[in-house]
Coordinates of all heavy atoms in Angstrom, one line a residue:
G1155 N -98.1 170.8 -63.3 CA -97.4 169.7 -62.6 C -97.1 169.9 -61.1 O -97.2 168.9 -60.3
A1156 N -97.1 171.1 -60.7 CA -96.8 171.3 -59.3 C -98.2 171.3 -58.5 O -98.2 171.2 -57.3 CB -96.2 172.7 -59.1
A1157 N -99.2 171.5 -59.3 CA -100.5 171.7 -58.6 C -101.0 170.6 -57.7 O -101.3 170.8 -56.5 CB -101.7 172.1 -59.5
P1158 N -100.9 169.4 -58.2 CA -101.3 168.2 -57.3 C -100.4 168.0 -56.2 O -100.7 167.4 -55.2 CB -101.4 167.0 -58.3 CG -100.7 167.4 -59.5 CD -100.6 168.9 -59.6
M1159 N -99.1 168.3 -56.4 CA -98.0 168.1 -55.4 C -98.6 168.5 -54.1 O -98.5 167.9 -53.0 CB -96.9 168.9 -55.7 CG -96.0 168.4 -56.9 SD -94.6 167.5 -56.1 CE -93.9 166.8 -57.5
Q1160 N -99.0 169.8 -54.0 CA -99.5 170.4 -52.8 C -101.0 170.5 -52.6 O -101.5 171.3 -51.9 CB -98.7 171.7 -52.4 CG -98.9 172.7 -53.5 CD -98.9 174.1 -52.8 OE1 -98.9 174.2 -51.6 NE2 -98.7 175.1 -53.6
N1161 N -101.7 169.8 -53.7 CA -103.1 170.0 -53.7 C -103.6 171.5 -53.6 O -104.2 171.8 -52.6 CB -103.8 169.0 -52.6 CG -105.2 169.0 -52.7 OD1 -105.8 169.3 -53.7 ND2 -105.9 168.6 -51.5
I1162 N -103.1 172.2 -54.6 CA -103.5 173.6 -54.4 C -105.0 173.9 -54.1 O -105.9 173.2 -54.6 CB -103.1 174.5 -55.8 CG1 -103.8 173.9 -57.0 CG2 -101.5 174.6 -55.9 CD1 -103.7 174.9 -58.3
G1163 N -105.2 174.9 -53.4 CA -106.5 175.3 -53.0 C -106.9 176.7 -52.7 O -105.8 177.5 -52.4
A1164 N -108.1 177.1 -52.9 CA -108.3 178.5 -52.7 C -109.9 178.7 -52.8 O -110.6 178.0 -53.6 CB -107.7 179.6 -53.7
Y1165 N -110.5 179.6 -51.9 CA -111.8 179.9 -51.8 C -112.8 178.7 -51.9 O -113.7 178.6 -52.8 CB -112.1 181.0 -53.0 CG -111.1 182.1 -52.9 CD1 -110.0 182.3 -53.7 CD2 -111.3 182.9 -51.8 CE1 -109.2 183.2 -53.5 CE2 -110.3 184.0 -51.7 CZ -109.1 184.0 -52.5 OH -108.4 185.0 -52.3
G1166 N -112.5 177.8 -51.1 CA -113.4 176.6 -51.0 C -113.2 175.4 -51.9 O -113.9 174.5 -51.8
V1167 N -112.3 175.6 -52.8 CA -112.1 174.5 -53.9 C -110.5 174.0 -53.8 O -109.7 174.9 -53.5 CB -112.3 175.0 -55.2 CG1 -112.1 173.8 -56.2 CG2 -113.8 175.3 -55.3
E1168 N -110.4 172.8 -53.9 CA -108.9 172.2 -54.1 C -109.0 171.4 -55.4 O -109.9 170.9 -55.9 CB -108.6 171.3 -52.9 CG -108.6 172.0 -51.7 CD -108.3 171.0 -50.5 OE1 -108.8 169.9 -50.4 OE2 -107.6 171.4 -49.5
I1169 N -107.7 171.2 -56.0 CA -107.5 170.6 -57.2 C -108.2 169.1 -57.1 O -108.6 168.6 -58.0 CB -106.1 170.6 -57.8 CG1 -106.1 170.2 -59.2 CG2 -105.2 169.9 -57.1 CD1 -104.7 170.1 -59.9
C1170 N -108.0 168.5 -55.9 CA -108.5 167.2 -55.8 C -109.9 167.0 -56.2 O -110.4 165.9 -56.5 CB -108.1 166.6 -54.3 SG -109.1 167.3 -53.1
N1171 N -110.8 168.1 -56.0 CA -112.1 167.9 -56.3 C -112.4 167.7 -57.9 O -113.4 167.1 -58.1 CB -112.8 169.4 -56.1 CG -112.8 169.8 -54.8 OD1 -112.7 171.1 -54.4 ND2 -112.7 168.9 -53.8
V1172 N -111.4 168.0 -58.7 CA -111.7 167.7 -60.2 C -110.5 166.8 -60.8 O -110.6 166.5 -62.0 CB -111.6 169.1 -61.0 CG1 -112.8 170.0 -60.6 CG2 -110.3 169.8 -60.7

Side-chain angles (χ1 to χ4, degrees):
M1159 287 258 174
Q1160 58 149 345
N1161 187 20
I1162 57 167
Y1165 308 103
V1167 174
E1168 292 179 326
I1169 189 178
C1170 68
N1171 302 147
V1172 293

